[in-house]
Amino acid sequence: SWGTALAQHLSLGGHDAVLWGIEESDLRSIAEKQENPRYFPGDKLSANIFVQADITQAVAGAKLVILATPAAAC
């Protein structure tokens, strides 16, 4: 949820954002619906948020990488 919120905030500021995660079914759902139904159902994400399942491709060419690890995973 934190990664999605950060991506939305950055995109509203005019930046492109790429979401990467380990749950491919979640990523597929976000890409298809342009929303994160698990954490933000009904909230449309900006068009300049992109989803990528491959971390190498997700960070390729990035000027900044933000790691948003869930606290429970720490």
Side-chain angles (χ1 to χ4, degrees):
S1 65
W2 186 228
T4 301
L6 284 170
Q8 182 72 348
H9 180 74
L10 290 169
S11 70
L12 293 174
H15 303 281
D16 288 342
V18 179
L19 287 173
W20 171 84
I22 58 173
E23 296 293 334
E24 288 193 34
S25 61
D26 288 345
L27 295 174
R28 192 170 32 259
S29 182
I30 292 168
E32 290 171 359
K33 298 176 181 179
Q34 201 63 27
E35 71 177 60
N36 186 332
R38 178 185 245 182
Y39 297 111
F40 302 105
D43 293 338
K44 287 294 179 189
L45 297 175
S46 297
N48 54 336
I49 295 178
F50 306 94
V51 177
Q52 179 54 252
D54 182 296
I55 193 166
T56 303
Q57 292 180 11
V59 300
K63 294 179 182 177
L64 174 69
V65 176
I66 297 174
L67 180 63
T69 305
C74 295

